[in-house]
Amino acid sequence: MKKADLIFTNATILTMDDEFHTHKPGALAVEGDSILAVGPQAEILENYQSDNVMDCENKILMPGLINAHTHVPMTLLRGLADDLRLDVWLMGYMMPVEREFVSPEFVRLGTKLACAESIRSGVTTFVDMYYFEADIAQATADAGLRAICAQSILKFPTPDAASYEESLKAAEEFIQAWKGHPLIIPAVGPHAPYTCTDEILQACADLAIKYDVPLHIHLAETAGEVENIRKEFGMPVIPYVKKRGIFDAKVIAAHCVHIDEGEMRTIQHAHAGIAHNPSSNLKLASGFAKVKKMLDVKVNVGIGTDGPASNNDLDMIEEIRLASMVAKCESGDPTALPARQTLAMATSMGAKAVHIDHLTGSLVPGKRADLILLGIDKLHNSPNFQRDPDGIYAQIIYAAKSTDISDVMVNGQWLMRDRELLTLDEDELIAEAQDYAKKIDTFLIEREQSVLSKLIAIGGAMQQESFEVQAKVHVTDPDSIIEALEKNSVEVDYSRHYHEYDTYFFFENEDQGRLRYREDEFIDETGEIINVRGRLTLVGVTREDAFDHDVMLSRSRYYAPATHSLRFYREYFEPQAELDIEKDRKRYKIKYRRVDFYINVDTLIKPDLGHFLEVKSRTWSREDAEKKSRIIAELIEYLGASSEAAETEDYIEIVESHLRKA
Amino acid sequence: MKKADLIFTNATILTMDDEFHTHKPGALAVEGDSILAVGPQAEILENYQSDNVMDCENKILMPGLINAHTHVPMTLLRGLADDLRLDVWLMGYMMPVEREFVSPEFVRLGTKLACAESIRSGVTTFVDMYYFEADIAQATADAGLRAICAQSILKFPTPDAASYEESLKAAEEFIQAWKGHPLIIPAVGPHAPYTCTDEILQACADLAIKYDVPLHIHLAETAGEVENIRKEFGMPVIPYVKKRGIFDAKVIAAHCVHIDEGEMRTIQHAHAGIAHNPSSNLKLASGFAKVKKMLDVKVNVGIGTDGPASNNDLDMIEEIRLASMVAKCESGDPTALPARQTLAMATSMGAKAVHIDHLTGSLVPGKRADLILLGIDKLHNSPNFQRDPDGIYAQIIYAAKSTDISDVMVNGQWLMRDRELLTLDEDELIAEAQDYAKKIDTFLIEREQSVLSKLIAIGGAMQQESFEVQAKVHVTDPDSIIEALEKNSVEVDYSRHYHEYDTYFFFENEDQGRLRYREDEFIDETGEIINVRGRLTLVGVTREDAFDHDVMLSRSRYYAPATHSLRFYREYFEPQAELDIEKDRKRYKIKYRRVDFYINVDTLIKPDLGHFLEVKSRTWSREDAEKKSRIIAELIEYLGASSEAAETEDYIEIVESHLRKA
């Protein structure tokens, strides 16, 4: 008789080993951090004894679940912003809040909260990618969970690094410090192809190979990502990253929603794993991943919750159910992802997908004692049928709740007994999290009150305080103006031809100013569009001093390149009203009487308000402005228009007053 | 100060009224079965008082959920058969088990189990369709839940009626008995277009109109259903049922997965409601319903779990979450079905969809007191942000669990207090359900052991015990046989030309016999296929007595028309091996020497084994058989073939021995 530290008896054991052995009644012996033996009860009790025998009547004993992709500290951002498009959600809310709040303290608290929730849903291992990963690792190890912790690396500054070189250096130090830990496997996390450069991808692959640690990355999450990579590099995402050498490392690829069969084969050949995230893919409308096909071509696919800010929880029981159900409907085959296979995705196959099947994922002697007990005798899972040997897997997948999980052990250590957490103080964590939520609420409420701060939050804006003189006159024959300009008496530095599409956002509180989204199409001599530029301008209320014929304007403007779509800005800024103006603009930079002027010969197309001549010049003093305003009047007359009708309003004001009259 | 029976105070109230009023802190006064007043706490407490004040700190008070489509007694079949195609699941398992077990006792127990589970998930009203609906109504009323109970009507015999006339009569009596009950609304349930006739649909519509009760029906659940209705009636499902007058009744249409925008508008114009069932549609791979589009065209859409045998639970909290998430991905729009709207689908809009919004669905004075309390301060729903007024709805939709629901009241009566059920004994129900499961297990295990009983279970088979003489010879020139036949010396009663595709299923236990699936294509003189017939034959092991030149065979066969696809039978019978035989057959019924014979001139195409002449005749005695066998030998010679090589094997044996040699 061999001695064991603990023997589980009288259980229904799902080993999730390669042959899916089950034992009923089964027994399992634990010694230290590992499984000593597992099998039919009679056989185990013949060979092993222990002072510590746990009767598991009416309970299923099975491997703990593996959450193959998440961002655990984002528990603190759960429910902060929902029902938004990915870009608005990410760039408008998550990233600005992260820039402001994410710190070692933040990630430790968020991680602890996530560990508590993970244990409650039967998770014994998770794969994380976030910032300050060493702090996440520490909090996870303290809670007693197993984790692969990938230090995020992006081409932008992040909450924990001013540059990617700094991130890479931190990642290497993190790996050196944590490699060999009994619970934590450090890893490299190049965030995604669209947030990394070729150089970063290659450096991350090199680092992962050097230390033989996993490389965790988001791949092909959205159709837009694939389209952009195709446009820029002429190939889909998987070949693109393959060329950067990432598949020489042990890759855990999150999402892979938009990959074809060839790409799946590439992943399979590379022994890379996919982390499938059904909740996140549905909630952000990223698409239905072709999971049945992935399994058909023998890719190891794990299941992940993704971060709790896009899920919005870490409930792996729900996630597994969803994976099975969605794959059936996506493939049109209700026999796809049957219960047993789906449970394997969250245990044994999941362990292969994240490269730790030598440690965990099945109840096999020698592996670590990462296991859970759950009851399937509750109301919502009654009755129990015995006919179909796979029925027990179906009960777990299709009707179990995470609250049915009673006990959780990781690495031979109890983390939950009879629904009571042993390594974390839940009430304290909830209270601390609530304090953070209050701070974030205050920050966002303040930000939301000001269009300017919302503009700054999504990538900054340059302020420009300018003084200028300006006059605008209605003209009937723009061609004669252009002819006059092209005479020799004015010196034309350069000329441009644009087609301009402006959308103005108006806000309830007029003090917020107006936000203009402008798309400039640059037109060449043949009429072809050779370039398009987007620009965002926040215009405050204009203060003006009128002169005789024209004015000096003091303007406060904030400029930002418009890197997102008009739709993004609409959903992000939520304007109360909008107005579109479309015009054709011929623009000249000229010198007249040795003064620089900008001359615009404009045709307002939408609304159709005819032609305008606009003359502008920068100024710096009232005296200079008065002088320039006189020259402007002269210039207007010189170009064949009448300066009598000159006005100082912007087009938006002209259009507004036109619309009021109409 | 008015008196109330009960006042809820200090709650976060989501009224789900037309303007989505919320009150925090809010109060709500109940008098008898109804809501007396609801509003800000201070205002309510100024006007109402009660001896019974319930402090709801940290709780949300909201309307109970409406499960818009289910089959409650099927709790007793939960987990019986999963990961199967709809037809195999329904025809192979559900219906045979229902034929055997469904009784008033069965439905009462199943209903009680479902009521307990429903209360635990915050459901205060459900819409049911099953058999013995009066017993379901009684069990539901005893449990204190509100329900619309639709008596199922099908063109087939059902567990509660031998014919649809009987069902209709029972439905009318049920309606007369229950109309006006404070909790139960009786209804008519024509099951679906494909299980009803035109006459049934019309009669059901008439009945629903006569008594002004809802008509509940499954519509356009699968693409196959739509295809069949199109084929038969030249139009999609919705116009088809409209022509049968059903939309003159108050329709609750379950599923509607495969309808277009025009059909949605028809439903909207008819003020009919749709019951959307995301879990069921995913799990059975029926398809992704276009819920965003339905809402865009202003159809009232409720959410249902469908029966717990296809879900596999009655957890409406999960179902609501799924409805929102799937609709986002299906429409490609993450802003679709935002949390508030989705919660309305399960409450106020759901009540409209099932035609009871005058009674329930929102917390409005005068409506019945159908309400629930839930906490959102749990670990998995922390922290709570306040910035976004819709954030509270998002917390319910994206992170709440049914176990967060603490208290449930229906019609002013408490059904659950602090997670304790007050009207049902959970442990007793679970034990009774387990007893049923054992009986069903025994029945199915027995059935599964025999191919014959599985065949009988899916619609019966006719037994034919026959004795026949038969001889088969290889021929090289079939045309000369046919020429000989068409001479006058044999009297040809008729001739046929078939193309026959046979698939044989073999089973591990050879005593089970072999199951043959045959598709006969009937060919006319021009070579056109004029008809196709499917037939299933279970052939036992043939006992034979050999004679000189031929044999008398005693065969036991079971025939059944093959109404399903080969794929269905493959998945249902799970054969160990299969064999395909394809042949061209010219068949003659002739008289020769005043004896009837069947002559087959066959060409084996797959495998390619050449031509055969087969002669058969029925017999009834050894003496008669001997006589006929002599005539057969003569007939074979007469037709120009040699009777020396005659053999008695069936084609399947010839093919098997050929394959063994190859």
Side-chain angles (χ1 to χ4, degrees), chain A residues 5-24:
Chain A
D5 287 338
L6 168 63
I7 299 180
F8 295 91
T9 60
N10 215 3
T12 299
I13 298 184
L14 307 181
T15 64
M16 302 310 289
D17 66 11
D18 290 344
E19 291 82 30
F20 292 98
H21 282 117
T22 61
H23 307 293
K24 187 183 177 182

Side-chain angles (χ1 to χ4, degrees), chain B residues 446-458 572:
Chain B
E446 209 159 279
R447 188 196 78 166
E448 298 277 294
Q449 284 167 356
S450 150
V451 174
L452 175 58
S453 55
K454 285 191 80 168
L455 182 62
I456 290 168
I458 54 169
Y572 178 62

